[in-house]
Every structure is written in C-alpha cells, then in structure tokens.
Coordinates of all heavy atoms in Angstrom, one line a residue:
E532 N 0.9 -1.2 0.0 CA 0.0 0.1 0.0 C 0.8 1.2 0.0 O 0.7 2.2 -0.8 CB -0.9 0.0 1.2 CG -2.1 0.9 1.2 CD -3.1 0.5 0.2 OE1 -3.3 -0.6 -0.2 OE2 -3.7 1.4 -0.3
L533 N 1.9 1.3 0.9 CA 2.7 2.5 1.0 C 3.3 2.8 -0.3 O 3.3 3.9 -0.8 CB 3.7 2.3 2.1 CG 4.8 3.3 2.3 CD1 4.1 4.7 2.7 CD2 5.7 2.9 3.4
E534 N 4.1 1.9 -0.8 CA 4.9 2.1 -2.0 C 4.1 2.2 -3.2 O 4.4 2.9 -4.1 CB 6.0 1.1 -2.1 CG 7.1 1.3 -1.0 CD 8.3 0.5 -1.1 OE1 8.5 0.0 -2.2 OE2 9.0 0.4 -0.2
E535 N 3.1 1.4 -3.3 CA 2.2 1.4 -4.5 C 1.3 2.6 -4.6 O 1.0 3.0 -5.7 CB 1.4 0.1 -4.6 CG 2.3 -1.1 -4.8 CD 1.5 -2.4 -4.9 OE1 0.2 -2.3 -5.1 OE2 2.0 -3.5 -4.7
V536 N 0.7 3.0 -3.5 CA -0.3 4.0 -3.6 C 0.2 5.4 -3.0 O 0.1 6.4 -3.7 CB -1.5 3.6 -2.8 CG1 -2.6 4.6 -2.8 CG2 -2.1 2.4 -3.5
E537 N 0.6 5.3 -1.8 CA 0.9 6.6 -1.1 C 2.1 7.3 -1.7 O 2.1 8.5 -1.9 CB 1.1 6.3 0.4 CG -0.3 6.0 1.0 CD -0.1 5.8 2.6 OE1 0.9 5.4 3.0 OE2 -1.1 6.2 3.2
I538 N 3.2 6.6 -1.9 CA 4.3 7.3 -2.4 C 4.1 7.9 -3.9 O 4.5 9.0 -4.1 CB 5.6 6.3 -2.5 CG1 6.1 6.1 -1.0 CG2 6.7 7.0 -3.3 CD1 7.1 5.1 -0.9
R539 N 3.3 7.2 -4.6 CA 3.0 7.7 -6.0 C 2.1 8.8 -5.9 O 2.2 9.8 -6.7 CB 2.4 6.7 -6.9 CG 3.4 5.6 -7.3 CD 2.7 4.6 -8.2 NE 3.8 3.6 -8.6 CZ 3.5 2.3 -8.8 NH1 2.2 2.0 -8.8 NH2 4.5 1.5 -9.2
S540 N 1.2 8.8 -5.0 CA 0.2 10.0 -4.8 C 0.8 11.2 -4.0 O 0.2 12.2 -4.0 CB -1.1 9.5 -4.2 OG -0.9 9.2 -2.8
E541 N 1.9 10.9 -3.4 CA 2.5 11.9 -2.5 C 1.7 12.4 -1.3 O 1.8 13.5 -0.8 CB 3.0 13.1 -3.3 CG 4.0 12.8 -4.4 CD 4.5 14.0 -5.2 OE1 3.9 15.1 -5.0 OE2 5.4 13.8 -6.0
E542 N 0.7 11.5 -0.9 CA -0.1 11.6 0.2 C 0.0 10.3 1.0 O -0.1 9.3 0.5 CB -1.5 11.9 -0.1 CG -1.6 13.2 -0.9 CD -3.1 13.6 -1.4 OE1 -3.6 12.7 -2.1 OE2 -3.6 14.7 -1.0
F543 N 0.0 10.5 2.4 CA 0.3 9.4 3.3 C -0.8 9.2 4.3 O -0.4 9.0 5.6 CB 1.7 9.5 3.8 CG 2.7 9.5 2.8 CD1 3.1 10.7 2.1 CD2 3.4 8.4 2.4 CE1 4.0 10.7 1.1 CE2 4.3 8.4 1.4 CZ 4.6 9.6 0.8
P544 N -2.0 9.2 4.1 CA -3.1 9.0 5.1 C -3.1 7.8 5.8 O -3.3 7.7 7.0 CB -4.4 9.3 4.4 CG -4.1 8.8 3.0 CD -2.7 9.3 2.8
F545 N -2.8 6.7 5.1 CA -2.8 5.3 5.7 C -1.6 5.1 6.6 O -1.7 4.6 7.7 CB -2.8 4.2 4.7 CG -4.1 4.2 3.7 CD1 -3.9 4.4 2.4 CD2 -5.3 4.1 4.3 CE1 -5.0 4.5 1.6 CE2 -6.4 4.1 3.5 CZ -6.3 4.3 2.2
T546 N -0.5 5.6 6.2 CA 0.7 5.5 7.1 C 0.6 6.3 8.2 O 0.9 5.8 9.4 CB 2.0 6.0 6.2 OG1 2.2 5.1 5.1 CG2 3.3 5.9 7.0
L547 N 0.1 7.6 8.2 CA -0.1 8.4 9.3 C -1.1 7.8 10.3 O -0.9 7.8 11.5 CB -0.4 9.9 8.9 CG -0.3 10.9 10.0 CD1 1.0 10.9 10.7 CD2 -0.6 12.2 9.4
A548 N -2.2 7.3 9.7 CA -3.1 6.6 10.6 C -2.6 5.4 11.3 O -2.9 5.2 12.4 CB -4.4 6.3 9.8
F549 N -1.8 4.6 10.7 CA -1.2 3.4 11.2 C -0.2 3.9 12.3 O -0.3 3.4 13.5 CB -0.4 2.6 10.2 CG 0.3 1.4 10.8 CD1 -0.5 0.3 11.2 CD2 1.6 1.4 10.9 CE1 0.1 -0.8 11.7 CE2 2.2 0.3 11.6 CZ 1.4 -0.8 11.9
V550 N 0.6 4.9 12.2 CA 1.4 5.3 13.2 C 0.7 5.9 14.4 O 1.1 5.5 15.5 CB 2.4 6.5 12.6 CG1 3.2 7.1 13.7 CG2 3.3 5.9 11.5
R551 N -0.4 6.6 14.1 CA -1.2 7.1 15.3 C -1.9 6.0 16.0 O -2.0 6.0 17.2 CB -2.1 8.1 14.7 CG -1.4 9.4 14.3 CD -2.4 10.4 13.7 NE -1.7 11.7 13.5 CZ -2.1 12.6 12.6 NH1 -3.3 12.4 12.0 NH2 -1.4 13.7 12.5
L552 N -2.3 4.9 15.3 CA -2.9 3.7 15.9 C -1.9 3.0 16.8 O -2.3 2.8 18.0 CB -3.4 2.7 14.9 CG -3.8 1.4 15.5 CD1 -5.1 1.6 16.3 CD2 -4.2 0.4 14.3
I553 N -0.7 2.9 16.3 CA 0.3 2.2 17.2 C 0.6 3.1 18.4 O 0.7 2.6 19.5 CB 1.6 1.9 16.4 CG1 1.3 0.9 15.3 CG2 2.7 1.4 17.4 CD1 0.8 -0.5 15.8
R554 N 0.7 4.4 18.3 CA 1.0 5.3 19.3 C -0.1 5.2 20.4 O 0.1 5.1 21.5 CB 1.1 6.8 18.8 CG 1.5 7.8 19.9 CD 1.4 9.1 19.4 NE 0.0 9.5 19.2 CZ -0.4 10.5 18.3 NH1 0.5 11.1 17.5 NH2 -1.6 10.7 18.1
T555 N -1.4 5.2 20.0 CA -2.5 5.2 20.8 C -2.5 3.8 21.5 O -2.7 3.8 22.8 CB -3.8 5.3 20.0 OG1 -3.8 6.5 19.4 CG2 -5.0 5.1 20.9
L556 N -2.2 2.8 20.9 CA -2.1 1.4 21.6 C -1.0 1.4 22.7 O -1.2 0.9 23.8 CB -1.9 0.3 20.6 CG -3.1 0.1 19.7 CD1 -2.7 -1.0 18.6 CD2 -4.3 -0.5 20.4
V557 N 0.1 1.9 22.3 CA 1.2 2.0 23.3 C 0.9 2.8 24.4 O 1.1 2.4 25.6 CB 2.5 2.5 22.5 CG1 3.6 2.8 23.6 CG2 3.0 1.4 21.6
E558 N 0.3 4.1 24.2 CA -0.1 5.0 25.3 C -1.1 4.3 26.2 O -1.0 4.4 27.5 CB -0.6 6.3 24.7 CG 0.5 7.1 24.1 CD -0.1 8.4 23.4 OE1 -1.4 8.5 23.3 OE2 0.7 9.3 23.0
A559 N -2.1 3.6 25.6 CA -3.2 3.0 26.4 C -2.6 1.9 27.2 O -3.0 1.7 28.4 CB -4.2 2.5 25.5
S560 N -1.7 1.2 26.7 CA -1.0 0.1 27.4 C -0.3 0.7 28.6 O -0.3 0.0 29.7 CB -0.1 -0.6 26.4 OG 0.7 -1.5 27.2
L561 N 0.4 1.7 28.4 CA 1.2 2.3 29.5 C 0.3 2.9 30.6 O 0.6 2.7 31.8 CB 2.2 3.4 29.0 CG 3.3 2.8 28.0 CD1 4.1 3.9 27.5 CD2 4.2 1.9 28.8
K562 N -0.7 3.5 30.2 CA -1.7 4.1 31.1 C -2.4 3.0 32.0 O -2.8 3.3 33.1 CB -2.7 5.0 30.4 CG -2.1 6.3 29.9 CD -3.2 7.1 29.2 CE -2.6 8.4 28.7 NZ -3.5 9.2 27.9
S563 N -2.7 1.9 31.4 CA -3.3 0.8 32.1 C -2.5 0.1 33.2 O -3.0 -0.7 33.9 CB -3.9 -0.2 31.1 OG -2.9 -0.9 30.6
G564 N -1.2 0.4 33.1 CA -0.3 -0.1 34.0 C 0.2 -1.5 33.6 O 0.9 -2.2 34.4
S565 N 0.0 -1.9 32.4 CA 0.3 -3.3 31.9 C 1.9 -3.1 31.5 O 2.5 -2.0 31.4 CB -0.4 -3.7 30.8 OG -0.3 -2.9 29.7
E566 N 2.5 -4.2 31.2 CA 3.9 -4.1 30.9 C 4.1 -3.7 29.4 O 5.2 -3.6 28.9 CB 4.5 -5.6 31.0 CG 4.5 -6.0 32.5 CD 5.6 -5.3 33.3 OE1 6.7 -5.0 32.7 OE2 5.3 -4.8 34.4
G567 N 3.1 -3.5 28.7 CA 3.2 -3.1 27.3 C 2.1 -3.8 26.5 O 1.2 -4.4 27.1
L568 N 2.3 -3.8 25.2 CA 1.2 -4.4 24.3 C 1.4 -5.9 24.5 O 2.5 -6.4 24.9 CB 1.5 -4.1 22.9 CG 1.0 -2.6 22.7 CD1 1.4 -2.3 21.2 CD2 -0.4 -2.4 22.8
P569 N 0.3 -6.7 24.4 CA 0.4 -8.1 24.6 C 1.5 -8.8 23.7 O 1.7 -8.5 22.6 CB -0.9 -8.6 24.0 CG -1.8 -7.4 24.1 CD -1.0 -6.2 23.9
L570 N 2.3 -9.7 24.4 CA 3.3 -10.4 23.7 C 2.8 -11.2 22.6 O 3.6 -11.6 21.6 CB 4.1 -11.1 24.7 CG 4.9 -10.4 25.6 CD1 5.6 -11.3 26.7 CD2 5.9 -9.4 25.0
L571 N 1.6 -11.7 22.6 CA 1.0 -12.6 21.7 C 0.1 -11.8 20.6 O -0.6 -12.4 19.8 CB 0.1 -13.6 22.3 CG 0.9 -14.5 23.3 CD1 0.0 -15.6 24.0 CD2 2.1 -15.2 22.7
L572 N 0.4 -10.6 20.5 CA -0.4 -9.7 19.5 C -0.1 -10.3 18.1 O 1.1 -10.5 17.8 CB 0.1 -8.3 19.6 CG -0.5 -7.3 18.7 CD1 -2.0 -7.1 19.0 CD2 0.3 -6.0 18.7
G573 N -1.1 -10.6 17.4 CA -0.8 -11.2 16.1 C -0.7 -12.7 16.0 O -0.3 -13.2 15.0
L574 N -0.8 -13.3 17.1 CA -0.6 -14.9 17.2 C -1.4 -15.5 16.1 O -2.7 -15.2 16.0 CB -0.9 -15.4 18.5 CG -0.6 -16.8 18.7 CD1 0.9 -17.2 18.6 CD2 -1.1 -17.3 20.1
G575 N -0.8 -16.4 15.4 CA -1.6 -17.1 14.4 C -1.7 -16.4 13.0 O -2.0 -17.0 12.0
Q576 N -1.4 -15.2 13.0 CA -1.4 -14.3 11.8 C 0.0 -14.1 11.2 O 0.1 -14.0 10.0 CB -2.0 -13.0 12.1 CG -3.5 -13.1 12.6 CD -4.4 -13.8 11.6 OE1 -4.4 -13.5 10.4 NE2 -5.2 -14.7 12.1
R577 N 1.0 -14.1 12.1 CA 2.3 -13.8 11.6 C 3.3 -14.2 12.7 O 3.0 -14.5 13.8 CB 2.5 -12.3 11.3 CG 2.3 -11.5 12.5 CD 2.5 -10.0 12.2 NE 2.0 -9.2 13.3 CZ 2.6 -9.2 14.5 NH1 3.6 -10.0 14.8 NH2 2.0 -8.5 15.5
D578 N 4.6 -14.4 12.3 CA 5.7 -14.7 13.1 C 6.8 -13.7 12.8 O 7.1 -13.5 11.6 CB 6.1 -16.1 12.9 CG 7.2 -16.6 13.9 OD1 6.9 -16.2 15.1 OD2 8.0 -17.3 13.5
P579 N 7.4 -13.0 13.7 CA 7.1 -13.0 15.1 C 5.9 -12.3 15.6 O 5.4 -11.5 14.9 CB 8.4 -12.4 15.7 CG 8.8 -11.3 14.7 CD 8.4 -12.0 13.4
T580 N 5.5 -12.7 16.8 CA 4.3 -11.9 17.3 C 4.7 -10.7 18.2 O 5.9 -10.6 18.4 CB 3.5 -12.9 18.2 OG1 4.3 -13.5 19.3 CG2 2.9 -14.1 17.4
G581 N 3.7 -10.1 18.8 CA 4.0 -8.9 19.7 C 4.2 -7.7 18.9 O 3.8 -7.5 17.7
I582 N 4.6 -6.6 19.5 CA 4.7 -5.2 19.0 C 5.8 -5.1 18.2 O 6.0 -4.2 17.3 CB 4.7 -4.2 20.1 CG1 4.5 -2.8 19.6 CG2 5.9 -4.3 21.1 CD1 3.2 -2.5 19.0
E583 N 7.0 -5.9 18.3 CA 8.2 -5.6 17.5 C 8.1 -5.5 16.0 O 8.7 -4.7 15.5 CB 9.2 -6.8 17.9 CG 9.8 -6.6 19.4 CD 10.8 -7.7 19.7 OE1 11.6 -8.0 18.8 OE2 10.7 -8.1 20.8
P584 N 7.3 -6.3 15.4 CA 7.2 -6.2 13.9 C 6.7 -4.8 13.5 O 7.0 -4.3 12.5 CB 6.2 -7.3 13.4 CG 6.3 -8.3 14.5 CD 6.6 -7.5 15.7
Y585 N 5.7 -4.3 14.3 CA 5.1 -3.0 14.1 C 6.1 -1.9 14.3 O 6.2 -1.0 13.5 CB 3.9 -2.8 15.0 CG 2.8 -3.9 14.6 CD1 2.5 -4.8 15.6 CD2 2.1 -3.8 13.5 CE1 1.6 -5.8 15.4 CE2 1.1 -4.8 13.2 CZ 0.9 -5.7 14.2 OH 0.0 -6.7 14.0
L586 N 6.9 -2.1 15.3 CA 7.9 -1.0 15.7 C 9.0 -1.1 14.6 O 9.5 -0.1 14.2 CB 8.5 -1.2 17.0 CG 7.5 -1.0 18.2 CD1 8.2 -1.3 19.5 CD2 6.9 0.4 18.1
D587 N 9.4 -2.2 14.2 CA 10.4 -2.4 13.1 C 9.9 -1.7 11.8 O 10.7 -1.1 11.1 CB 10.6 -3.9 12.9 CG 11.7 -4.2 11.8 OD1 12.8 -3.7 12.1 OD2 11.5 -4.8 10.8
F588 N 8.7 -2.0 11.5 CA 8.0 -1.3 10.3 C 8.1 0.3 10.4 O 8.5 1.0 9.5 CB 6.6 -1.7 10.1 CG 5.9 -1.0 9.0 CD1 6.1 -1.3 7.6 CD2 5.0 0.1 9.3 CE1 5.5 -0.7 6.6 CE2 4.5 0.8 8.2 CZ 4.6 0.4 6.9
L589 N 7.7 0.8 11.6 CA 7.8 2.2 11.8 C 9.2 2.7 11.7 O 9.3 3.8 11.1 CB 7.2 2.5 13.2 CG 5.7 2.3 13.4 CD1 5.3 2.7 14.8 CD2 4.9 3.0 12.4
T590 N 10.1 2.0 12.2 CA 11.5 2.5 12.2 C 12.1 2.3 10.7 O 12.6 3.4 10.3 CB 12.4 1.7 13.1 OG1 11.8 1.8 14.4 CG2 13.8 2.2 13.2
R591 N 12.0 1.2 10.2 CA 12.8 1.0 8.9 C 12.0 1.5 7.7 O 12.6 2.1 6.8 CB 13.0 -0.6 8.8 CG 13.9 -1.2 9.7 CD 14.0 -2.7 9.5 NE 14.7 -3.3 10.5 CZ 15.9 -3.8 10.4 NH1 16.6 -3.7 9.2 NH2 16.6 -4.4 11.3
T592 N 10.7 1.3 7.7 CA 10.0 1.7 6.5 C 9.5 3.1 6.5 O 9.4 3.8 5.5 CB 8.8 0.8 6.3 OG1 9.3 -0.6 6.2 CG2 8.0 1.0 5.0
V593 N 9.1 3.5 7.7 CA 8.6 5.0 7.8 C 9.6 5.9 8.2 O 10.1 6.8 7.5 CB 7.4 5.0 8.7 CG1 6.8 6.3 8.8 CG2 6.3 4.0 8.2
F594 N 10.1 5.8 9.5 CA 11.0 6.8 10.0 C 12.3 7.0 9.2 O 12.8 8.2 9.0 CB 11.3 6.6 11.5 CG 12.0 7.8 12.2 CD1 11.2 8.9 12.4 CD2 13.3 7.7 12.5 CE1 11.8 10.0 13.0 CE2 13.9 8.8 13.1 CZ 13.1 10.0 13.3
L595 N 12.9 6.0 8.9 CA 14.3 6.2 8.1 C 14.1 6.7 6.7 O 15.1 7.0 6.1 CB 15.0 4.8 8.2 CG 15.4 4.4 9.6 CD1 16.2 3.0 9.5 CD2 16.3 5.5 10.2
R596 N 12.8 6.7 6.2 CA 12.7 7.0 4.8 C 11.7 8.2 4.6 O 11.7 8.7 3.5 CB 12.0 5.7 4.1 CG 13.2 4.7 4.1 CD 12.6 3.3 3.5 NE 11.8 3.5 2.3 CZ 11.1 2.5 1.8 NH1 11.1 1.3 2.4 NH2 10.5 2.7 0.6
F597 N 11.0 8.6 5.6 CA 9.9 9.6 5.3 C 10.5 10.9 4.8 O 9.8 11.6 4.0 CB 9.1 9.9 6.6 CG 9.7 10.8 7.6 CD1 9.2 12.2 7.6 CD2 10.7 10.4 8.5 CE1 9.9 13.0 8.6 CE2 11.2 11.2 9.5 CZ 10.8 12.5 9.5
T598 N 11.6 11.3 5.1 CA 12.2 12.5 4.5 C 12.6 12.5 3.1 O 12.8 13.5 2.4 CB 13.4 13.1 5.4 OG1 14.4 12.1 5.3 CG2 13.0 13.4 6.8
S599 N 12.7 11.3 2.5 CA 13.0 11.1 1.1 C 11.8 11.0 0.2 O 12.0 11.1 -0.9 CB 13.9 9.8 1.0 OG 13.1 8.6 1.2
W600 N 10.7 11.0 0.8 CA 9.4 10.9 0.0 C 9.0 12.3 -0.4 O 9.3 13.3 0.3 CB 8.2 10.3 0.8 CG 8.5 8.9 1.3 CD1 9.3 7.9 0.7 CD2 8.0 8.3 2.4 NE1 9.3 6.8 1.5 CE2 8.5 7.0 2.5 CE3 7.1 8.7 3.5 CZ2 8.2 6.1 3.5 CZ3 6.7 7.8 4.5 CH2 7.3 6.5 4.4
S601 N 8.3 12.4 -1.5 CA 7.8 13.7 -2.0 C 6.4 13.8 -1.4 O 5.6 12.8 -1.3 CB 7.6 13.7 -3.5 OG 8.9 13.6 -4.1
Y602 N 6.0 15.1 -1.0 CA 4.7 15.3 -0.4 C 4.0 16.4 -1.1 O 4.6 17.4 -1.5 CB 4.8 15.7 1.1 CG 5.5 14.7 1.9 CD1 6.8 14.5 2.1 CD2 4.6 13.9 2.7 CE1 7.3 13.4 2.8 CE2 5.2 12.9 3.6 CZ 6.4 12.7 3.6 OH 7.0 11.7 4.4
K603 N 2.7 16.3 -1.3 CA 1.9 17.3 -1.8 C 1.8 18.5 -0.7 O 1.7 19.7 -1.0 CB 0.5 16.9 -2.2 CG 0.4 16.1 -3.5 CD -0.9 15.7 -3.9 CE -1.0 15.0 -5.1 NZ -2.3 14.5 -5.5
N604 N 1.7 18.1 0.5 CA 1.6 19.0 1.6 C 2.9 18.7 2.5 O 2.9 17.7 3.3 CB 0.3 18.8 2.4 CG 0.2 19.7 3.6 OD1 1.1 20.4 4.0 ND2 -1.0 19.7 4.2
A605 N 3.8 19.7 2.6 CA 4.9 19.5 3.4 C 4.7 19.2 4.8 O 5.4 18.5 5.5 CB 5.9 20.6 3.2
R606 N 3.7 19.7 5.4 CA 3.3 19.5 6.8 C 3.1 18.0 7.1 O 3.4 17.7 8.2 CB 2.1 20.3 7.2 CG 1.7 20.2 8.6 CD 0.6 21.1 9.1 NE 0.2 20.7 10.4 CZ 0.6 21.2 11.5 NH1 1.5 22.1 11.5 NH2 0.2 20.8 12.7
E607 N 2.6 17.3 6.1 CA 2.4 15.9 6.3 C 3.7 15.2 6.6 O 3.7 14.2 7.3 CB 1.6 15.3 5.1 CG 1.1 13.9 5.3 CD 0.4 13.4 4.2 OE1 0.6 13.7 3.0 OE2 -0.6 12.6 4.4
M608 N 4.8 15.6 6.0 CA 6.1 15.0 6.3 C 6.4 15.1 7.7 O 6.8 14.1 8.4 CB 7.1 15.7 5.4 CG 8.5 15.1 5.7 SD 9.8 15.7 4.6 CE 10.0 17.3 5.3
W609 N 6.3 16.3 8.3 CA 6.6 16.5 9.7 C 5.6 15.9 10.7 O 6.1 15.4 11.7 CB 6.8 18.0 10.0 CG 7.9 18.6 9.1 CD1 7.8 19.5 8.1 CD2 9.3 18.2 9.1 NE1 9.0 19.7 7.5 CE2 10.0 18.9 8.1 CE3 10.0 17.2 9.9 CZ2 11.4 18.7 7.9 CZ3 11.3 17.1 9.6 CH2 12.0 17.8 8.6
D610 N 4.4 15.8 10.3 CA 3.3 15.1 11.1 C 3.7 13.6 11.2 O 3.6 13.1 12.2 CB 1.9 15.3 10.5 CG 1.3 16.7 10.6 OD1 1.9 17.4 11.4 OD2 0.4 16.9 9.9
T611 N 4.2 13.0 10.1 CA 4.6 11.7 10.1 C 5.8 11.4 11.0 O 5.8 10.5 11.8 CB 4.9 11.2 8.7 OG1 3.7 11.4 7.8 CG2 5.3 9.8 8.6
G612 N 6.8 12.2 10.9 CA 8.1 12.1 11.7 C 7.7 12.3 13.1 O 8.2 11.4 14.0
V613 N 7.0 13.3 13.5 CA 6.7 13.5 14.9 C 5.8 12.4 15.5 O 6.1 11.9 16.5 CB 5.9 14.9 15.0 CG1 5.3 15.0 16.4 CG2 6.9 16.0 14.8
A614 N 4.8 11.9 14.7 CA 4.0 10.8 15.1 C 4.9 9.6 15.5 O 4.7 8.9 16.4 CB 2.9 10.5 14.1
V615 N 5.8 9.2 14.6 CA 6.7 8.1 14.9 C 7.6 8.4 16.2 O 7.6 7.5 17.1 CB 7.6 7.8 13.7 CG1 8.7 6.6 14.1 CG2 6.9 7.3 12.5
L616 N 8.1 9.5 16.4 CA 8.9 9.8 17.5 C 8.0 9.7 18.7 O 8.5 9.3 19.8 CB 9.6 11.2 17.4 CG 10.7 11.3 16.4 CD1 11.1 12.8 16.3 CD2 11.8 10.4 16.7
E617 N 6.7 10.1 18.7 CA 5.9 10.0 19.8 C 5.6 8.5 20.2 O 5.4 8.3 21.4 CB 4.5 10.7 19.5 CG 4.7 12.2 19.5 CD 3.4 12.9 19.1 OE1 2.5 12.3 18.4 OE2 3.3 14.2 19.3
V618 N 5.7 7.6 19.3 CA 5.5 6.2 19.7 C 6.7 5.9 20.6 O 6.4 5.1 21.6 CB 5.6 5.3 18.4 CG1 5.7 3.9 18.8 CG2 4.3 5.5 17.6
Y619 N 7.9 6.3 20.3 CA 9.0 5.9 21.1 C 9.2 6.8 22.3 O 10.0 6.5 23.2 CB 10.3 6.0 20.2 CG 10.3 4.9 19.3 CD1 9.9 5.1 17.9 CD2 10.6 3.6 19.6 CE1 9.9 4.1 17.0 CE2 10.6 2.5 18.7 CZ 10.3 2.8 17.3 OH 10.3 1.8 16.5
H620 N 8.5 7.9 22.5 CA 8.7 8.8 23.6 C 8.1 8.2 24.8 O 7.3 7.8 25.3 CB 8.2 10.2 23.3 CG 8.4 11.1 24.4 ND1 7.4 11.4 25.4 CD2 9.4 11.8 24.8 CE1 7.8 12.3 26.2 NE2 9.0 12.6 25.9

C-alpha cells in the first residue's frame, strides 16, 4: 500500500493513521499499568508476534525514509516524523 499508492500519490493518510494507531495502543497500554502491548499480539497471523514487527516497520519503512518521500503537503512529512517519535517517547 505504502509504496504502490501513497508514495506515488505523494499523500500518506494510511501510513499516518497506522502510526497514530500504534501510538494510541502503546499509550493506552502504559496508562493501564500493563507491561506493554500483549506479547501474543498477532498470534496465528504472523511470526514473530508482539509489538516488535510493528515497531520495526515504523523504524525501517517509515522513520528512516519519510524525509526522502515527496509530499503534496510538506506539513504531512513533519506530522509523520513527529508521530513516529511520539511512539518511542
């Protein structure tokens, strides 16, 4: 989706929504006093399970590359970068 649709259209609504979803899940997990997101997140759907594949995607596919993408709206670039950093904050 990212490379086929969003990069070509120079708009990243799905990527930004995904980053915000992960941020919300991480924040909710921390507020509830749990140790983090469930270790078995995604069990039966993929390997490895847990939050790590999502964080890996955010780091490798989004954060390390978002400044190299073209944007119709430059603010969207910074919104994306800030949203990823907020996941790790």
Side-chain angles (χ1 to χ4, degrees):
E532 196 68 29
L533 174 63
E534 293 188 13
E535 291 180 21
V536 177
E537 292 186 322
I538 289 176
R539 287 186 184 146
S540 71
E541 299 181 356
E542 296 179 305
F543 298 84
F545 299 118
T546 297
L547 192 51
F549 179 75
V550 173
R551 288 177 174 158
L552 171 65
I553 296 299
R554 182 187 69 207
T555 300
L556 292 172
V557 168
E558 287 173 354
S560 169
L561 294 173
K562 286 179 184 176
S563 71
S565 67
E566 294 290 320
L568 291 173
L570 294 176
L571 299 179
L572 183 68
L574 181 64
Q576 301 297 316
R577 62 177 167 70
D578 188 39
T580 59
I582 188 68
E583 288 183 38
Y585 300 107
L586 296 178
D587 186 58
F588 174 80
L589 291 182
T590 302
R591 293 175 189 254
T592 305
V593 179
F594 191 72
L595 294 178
R596 296 171 46 192
F597 82 98
T598 58
S599 67
W600 301 331
S601 296
Y602 295 82
K603 286 185 180 176
N604 179 352
R606 179 173 172 94
E607 189 175 33
M608 177 176 73
W609 299 115
D610 289 346
T611 302
V613 167
V615 173
L616 289 174
E617 288 174 343
V618 169
Y619 290 101
H620 180 263

